[in-house]
Amino acid sequence: MVAGNPKPPRSLYVHVPFCHHRCGYCNFALIADRADLVDRYLDALEFEVNQWVGEFELDTLFLGGGTPSYLSSRQWLRLAEVLFQRFAFSGDFEFTAECNPNDLQKGRLDAMLEAGVNRLSLGVQSFDDRKLKFLERTHTRADAIDSIQRAKVLLDKVSIDLIFACPDEWDDTWQSDLDTAVSLQIDHVSTYELTYEKGTRFWNRLNRGELLLVPADHRAKLYECAINTLTAAGWEQYEVSSFAKPEHRCRHNQVYWNGDSFLAAGPGASRFLGGVRETNHRSTTRYMQLLEANQSPVAEGEALDARSLAKDRIAFGLRLLDGVKLGPFREMTGFDLIDFLGDLGVIWRSERLLTINRDVCQLTPQGVMVYDAIASEIYALD
């Protein structure tokens, strides 16, 4: 049998690589303060998606970055024209756009809504002005609250991202961030531990001794605080980093975690089709040059073997608190999950990090706390 999900892709990710500036912790594929390149990028994007063979109907569309809200109102409508001419969309499709809080001036928000956006993901990161300054964000607490309140008047689905475990972050700072999110009655919250990615300014500062890592036990305490605060206030933790009110899970991200096929376009974007993963060039200018020369923007591709697909399916699937169903896993990969994990599964079950009940493999609350270590061990399997 051929491992992998044979279903045609019904989701599209579009990478919009523009930002006003690059924050010190950011390692995403982006280009800062180059509004002059946006129209050229839109031409290249149109050429890329029209290169693909076949017709596609989409259930979810996600614009990430970078900062999609960097685009002007006119450019938003051009982007929508490119996508809606190329793809069909189901009647209840989810169209998410990532935004910076201080980008949501009325004209731009109106253009996003006219373009079809029905879900916003706001890069709030914190409601504390001191913490925002450290993170090199360009908005303030007041900007974040104002953008959330205005967005909620016009949209049923509003999500925010929050970062925790900054150096010198007090417990009450993080608790205040969470309490503010609760008070604003946001539909979806994603919480991320601050990481130091190689090549970023924060990575360089860490290696020069200018920044100190928060101790592991304190990082775990802050994460547990998020779980306790948000679940007590009515959010369901449905994924390691994600909390949602009823009926407000991110449908697009669940495509990744469930191992389904998906399309992706733009600089640095990765798609997954029929067991093959392809990634575009990260450089925005190189991406555009290749398409302008009628060449493929793909920088690398890999046909995953059956074991690699199985590892992906377990590692991504365990991010979801619903877990991995053994029957569908066997159909998708050709492996028995319990046999595949072998001694690791026995150890994790004995340590109460993992349960297997009624044909479902799930992380326990203790397992969720150490998910990153579990995922690393999955990928290290022979």
Side-chain angles (χ1 to χ4, degrees), residues 79-254:
L79 175 60
E81 181 182 26
V82 167
L83 297 175
F84 279 81
Q85 285 183 351
R86 176 62 181 90
F87 302 99
F89 294 85
S90 60
D92 63 343
F93 83 102
E94 176 190 86
F95 185 172
T96 302
E98 292 182 342
C99 307
N100 273 344
N102 51 348
D103 281 341
L104 288 189
Q105 300 91 349
K106 186 179 186 302
R108 184 170 290 157
L109 181 56
D110 287 345
M112 293 167 69
L113 296 176
E114 186 177 346
V117 172
N118 53 31
R119 183 177 182 273
L120 285 185
S121 178
L122 293 165
V124 169
Q125 315 310 354
S126 178
F127 294 101
D128 182 87
D129 284 330
R130 178 174 172 269
K131 185 174 167 183
L132 287 168
K133 184 176 181 181
F134 166 78
L135 291 170
E136 302 181 6
R137 303 296 293 170
T138 57
H139 66 273
T140 64
R141 169 188 171 87
D143 293 330
I145 292 174
D146 178 65
S147 65
I148 291 167
Q149 291 174 332
R150 285 189 293 111
K152 283 185 65 64
V153 171
L154 300 171
L155 289 148
D156 291 333
K157 296 185 178 182
V158 177
S159 175
I160 68 168
D161 292 348
L162 294 175
I163 289 176
F164 66 92
C166 296
D168 300 324
E169 181 173 6
W170 298 96
D171 291 1
D172 59 355
T173 303
W174 179 231
Q175 185 65 61
S176 178
D177 278 344
L178 296 168
D179 290 343
T180 302
V182 169
S183 71
L184 292 168
Q185 299 183 339
I186 297 159
D187 310 305
H188 189 283
V189 179
S190 296
T191 62
Y192 299 106
E193 179 183 317
L194 178 63
T195 56
Y196 298 84
E197 302 290 342
K198 189 173 183 180
T200 64
R201 287 195 298 277
F202 278 19
W203 169 269
N204 295 331
R205 291 178 63 189
L206 182 71
N207 283 277
R208 291 196 300 264
E210 297 174 8
L211 297 176
L212 296 176
L213 283 174
V214 174
D217 60 343
H218 189 58
R219 299 199 303 268
K221 180 182 177 183
L222 294 173
Y223 178 44
E224 190 172 14
C225 177
I227 294 171
N228 293 338
T229 299
L230 295 172
T231 56
W235 277 264
E236 172 199 19
Q237 185 184 17
Y238 71 100
E239 186 266 340
V240 169
S241 300
S242 304
F243 303 80
K245 289 290 184 67
E247 306 301 322
H248 283 84
R249 293 185 179 192
C250 179
R251 289 166 52 197
H252 183 87
N253 285 345
Q254 288 181 102

Side-chain angles (χ1 to χ4, degrees), residues 193-328:
E193 179 183 317
L194 178 63
T195 56
Y196 298 84
E197 302 290 342
K198 189 173 183 180
T200 64
R201 287 195 298 277
F202 278 19
W203 169 269
N204 295 331
R205 291 178 63 189
L206 182 71
N207 283 277
R208 291 196 300 264
E210 297 174 8
L211 297 176
L212 296 176
L213 283 174
V214 174
D217 60 343
H218 189 58
R219 299 199 303 268
K221 180 182 177 183
L222 294 173
Y223 178 44
E224 190 172 14
C225 177
I227 294 171
N228 293 338
T229 299
L230 295 172
T231 56
W235 277 264
E236 172 199 19
Q237 185 184 17
Y238 71 100
E239 186 266 340
V240 169
S241 300
S242 304
F243 303 80
K245 289 290 184 67
E247 306 301 322
H248 283 84
R249 293 185 179 192
C250 179
R251 289 166 52 197
H252 183 87
N253 285 345
Q254 288 181 102
V255 169
Y256 306 148
W257 301 323
N258 285 322
D260 295 332
S261 297
F262 59 90
L263 299 163
S270 292
R271 65 193 63 83
F272 181 64
L273 300 168
V276 177
R277 183 180 293 122
E278 292 182 333
T279 303
N280 287 348
H281 281 273
R282 283 176 58 89
S283 165
T284 301
T285 52
R286 181 61 176 155
Y287 166 82
M288 295 187 299
Q289 288 167 355
L290 286 166
L291 286 162
E292 289 163 353
N294 198 25
Q295 297 178 32
S296 168
V298 174
E300 56 188 42
E302 178 187 14
L304 275 65
D305 60 32
R307 288 193 64 82
S308 296
L309 284 165
K311 291 178 185 180
D312 267 6
R313 183 66 196 96
I314 299 171
F316 281 105
L318 286 179
R319 290 193 66 94
L320 290 166
L321 272 68
D322 290 343
V324 181
K325 293 184 178 179
L326 275 61

Side-chain angles (χ1 to χ4, degrees), residues 311 375-382:
K311 291 178 185 180
S376 294
E377 291 191 72
I378 291 168
Y379 283 113
L381 283 168
D382 292 332

